[in-house]
Every structure is written in C-alpha cells, then in structure tokens.
Amino acid sequence: MGVSRRDFLKGLAIGGTTGYLAMAGASSTVLKDVFVPPRPIGDFDIGECKSVKCTVVSETSWFNNARVVQDMKDAGGLLVNQYIIPWTHEGVKEGYNGDNSGGFCTLIDVELMDGSKKKILLDCGWNTAWMDECLKREGVDKMLENHEIDMLFVTHEHFDHYWGVESVLKHCPDIPIIVPKGFYKEGFDLLKGANFPIAKVKNDYPHTGPLEVRESGKVHPLFPGAASITFDSAIITRVTGEQGLVFNVAGKGLVAVTGCCHMGIISFLEEIKHSIKGGDKIYGIQGGLHISPFEDWDPQYDDLIKALPGYGIEILGCNHCTGYLTAEKMVLAGMPVVQGTARFKSKKKLYLGNGDQIMFG
C-alpha cells in the first residue's frame, strides 16, 4: 500500500526521515501500475547525437549523512526553508576541511552527428571551496573561462545541487542557465548576488547571462539529440520541481541523466518512454536515482530493482543519492552497474565517484 501525501508530510514535519524515504520508494516502484493508466510509446522526435560522455565532477553532496539530517531536524524538521538552516560548516572529521558540505556536479560532453560538440554543466554543487577544487581538478574552470560550456543546467534548487553557483559564475558570469519551474525568490536572489548568513551561502558574482525557467509536463528540446523534462516534485527543505536530461544516441537508444531524481526513477523512465520517440529503448542511465540516499532500506525498494531491468538498460551509471546499499543490491541482481575508483573523497568503488567518467555511444 502506498504512502499518502498526508502521512508523508506528517513524517517530514516531525523531522524524521521515514516519510522522506517512503516517498522516494513510493514514487519509484512498480506500484506505478496501480496509479498510472497505460500510455502509448512517445513520438516526440528529439533527433540524434553520436555520443554522450559524463564526467563526475563531484557526487559527494555531503560527507556525513547523520550530520546533514540532524541539521534539518535541529532547525525544525525536513520541511524547513533550506535558506534558514544553520548547516554544519566545521568540525566534521570526514568533511572537506571540517565542512560537511560538498556538492553534486556533472560535466556532460555531447558529440553531435556533424562532429561538433556541446557541453552541459549539470548542477554546481554546494560548498564553494570544495567546488573550486573539483572544477579545477577536471579543468572545468578553464572551460568556463573560455566559454566552452554551453549552459548550466540546474536540476533543482536543493543546497547540494545549486548553492555552489558562485564557483561557476566567478569564471563565467554570463553563462546561460536553465532552471525548473518551482524556484523560490531566494533561489533567484542568490543568482543576483544575495547573501544568506544563517545558511552560510552567498554569491559575489551576479549572473549576467540568459536565464530560462522550464515549465513542467513538457519535453523541451535543447539541441539535436538532447532534451529535458521537468516534473512538479515536492521535495524536502521546501524545494519543488526537478528536471532531468534525455539524449538519443544514434544506434543505441535513449540515455537518461539525472541530478537526484526525486520524481522517482521509474516515473522519469516512464515519462521518457511515453513522451519521446524511441522511448521503448532506454539504453543507459547516469546520475542519482534517489532510492536509499541515507542508506536506509524499505522492502518496496526491492520492487524497484526488479522493475528497472524491464527497460532494457545496458549501462547503469549511478551515484550520489542512489545509496551504496542500493548499488550493492543492483550488482547482486546482475544489473549493469558501472563501478568507480573511489578517488577524491568518494568512499567506495560500488558506483561512479568523483573524477570518474562514463561513455554512452
């Protein structure tokens, strides 16, 4: 039986993780068949590209799960405005110079059919000191300065995916930015150069380039072989709305690239399947799958692992909020999980970590 929205919100309001984790599973499992009527395969033609390469700039959103959850609880619960939470920025042994904040960020290199290239920076992390180091490590800082990156694609407004925007804008203040519908005033203010002292987040490099807010429920083409889809997702710390990317790799099939995938990986794959031409073949996945982000497990998540192979996935690149426990179970189930190297503060080789790459095509 699914978790009702009322029970979910009640769980969040008291500051526990139960409601949060229950939503992560309920929105992703085969229970979708109870609620979602049959739909035909999609016919929206996004074109083709030759290949897609993803470089994990940082998947270490934070370094201590218990600490980040406790910060939210201490502030009043998981529905508290993220901009007024006094996050832990010192004293964490496994953190970055004691700071528990890290960030999520991926560089996506796309080769088009004519041989030309496009680069997308997917999210921009959290801790600017950490992100400065990560961007430099992968050469992204120079790419930004040379205007080689076509856009910053922000999947959602969460602290670990968006608050490191200063690290990007200091190198390229006029970079085109795409955000999903649902951003709050604070999120737009941060782009303009706001400072939020309680949360210890700021941006001293106001954005001067184009900004696009993507509506939900539509396929939004980016360039040949690439598109995005936005979802109206209600998420912890008062965040709403999340978007993901879809690529059509010639001769292979569709590739889904996510940030957290709070909308549920099954929900995302179903939307791709029934919206985009070629949706009957999901060739690969890369990014956070939002299954056991705090390494908790619910039996319904087993249903999810059983459901994923039904999409014909040949390459599964996951990390971040997927959870190491989830990765272990998927490997045991024989799923094509691409392992990492456990470098640059990524803890295990179970999935793609900081500095690792994955190629589709």
Side-chain angles (χ1 to χ4, degrees), residues 44-327:
F44 194 109
D45 190 351
I46 66 172
E48 291 183 320
C49 58
K50 280 187 179 180
S51 66
V52 176
K53 180 176 72 174
C54 297
T55 301
V56 180
V57 179
S58 173
E59 60 88 19
T60 312
S61 285
W62 52 80
F63 297 90
N64 184 293
N65 278 340
R67 183 66 265 162
V68 78
V69 171
Q70 193 62 48
D71 283 348
M72 288 184 272
K73 283 185 175 181
D74 291 346
L78 303 187
L79 289 180
V80 173
N81 181 351
Q82 62 182 350
Y83 291 91
I84 62 171
I85 296 175
W87 300 98
T88 300
H89 289 281
E90 58 184 18
V92 178
K93 182 179 179 181
E94 65 269 44
Y96 181 72
N97 296 330
D99 195 331
N100 194 42
S101 63
F104 178 91
C105 176
T106 299
L107 177 66
I108 305 172
D109 289 277
V110 184
E111 182 178 3
L112 305 187
M113 297 305 290
D114 63 3
S116 61
K117 303 291 181 66
K118 293 284 187 181
K119 293 182 186 293
I120 301 172
L121 195 62
L122 180 83
D123 293 333
C124 49
W126 179 359
N127 175 1
T128 53
W130 167 254
M131 292 311 302
D132 285 347
E133 179 176 309
C134 293
L135 293 177
K136 182 177 181 180
R137 183 190 72 225
E138 301 303 328
V140 176
D141 55 348
K142 298 300 182 185
M143 295 178 199
L144 288 166
E145 290 170 6
N146 295 331
H147 287 82
E148 296 173 22
I149 297 180
D150 295 274
M151 70 191 74
L152 170 61
F153 184 89
V154 181
T155 61
H156 61 299
E157 197 180 346
H158 263 155
F159 45 90
D160 54 321
H161 291 253
Y162 176 57
W163 283 7
V165 69
E166 181 182 78
S167 292
V168 172
L169 295 179
K170 70 172 59 176
H171 298 293
C172 187
D174 61 345
I175 186 171
I177 298 179
I178 299 175
V179 303
K181 180 182 178 181
F183 256 54
Y184 286 93
K185 182 179 183 297
E186 294 98 327
F188 292 117
D189 288 345
L190 184 62
L191 269 186
K192 297 174 184 176
N195 181 2
F196 300 91
I198 295 176
K200 294 185 180 178
V201 58
K202 66 177 181 63
N203 171 30
D204 291 335
Y205 302 85
H207 182 230
T208 60
L211 173 65
E212 182 180 350
V213 179
R214 288 269 162 107
E215 290 290 326
S216 302
K218 298 179 181 178
V219 176
H220 298 275
L222 289 171
F223 48 80
S228 69
I229 302 177
T230 305
F231 296 79
D232 289 322
S233 302
I235 320 172
I236 61 169
T237 63
R238 203 195 58 155
V239 172
T240 60
E242 182 166 348
Q243 57 185 353
L245 291 168
V246 187
F247 300 94
N248 185 20
V249 180
K252 297 292 185 178
L254 301 181
V255 174
V257 180
T258 75
C260 266
C261 210
H262 288 98
M263 54 278 200
I265 185 59
I266 296 298
S267 296
F268 188 28
L269 296 182
E270 283 292 300
E271 192 61 34
I272 292 172
K273 179 178 179 179
H274 298 296
S275 297
I276 297 177
K277 184 178 180 180
D280 52 340
K281 175 54 180 175
I282 308 294
Y283 166 53
I285 298 176
Q286 161 60 12
L289 305 187
H290 204 265
I291 301 174
S292 60
F294 299 111
E295 305 300 339
D296 289 39
W297 195 259
D298 186 286
Q300 65 181 330
Y301 301 168
D302 290 312
D303 290 339
L304 186 154
I305 289 177
K306 293 176 183 176
L308 276 174
Y311 292 90
I313 299 163
E314 296 181 28
I315 304 176
L316 179 52
C318 58
N319 51 21
H320 176 47
C321 60
T322 301
Y324 288 119
L325 181 56
T326 301

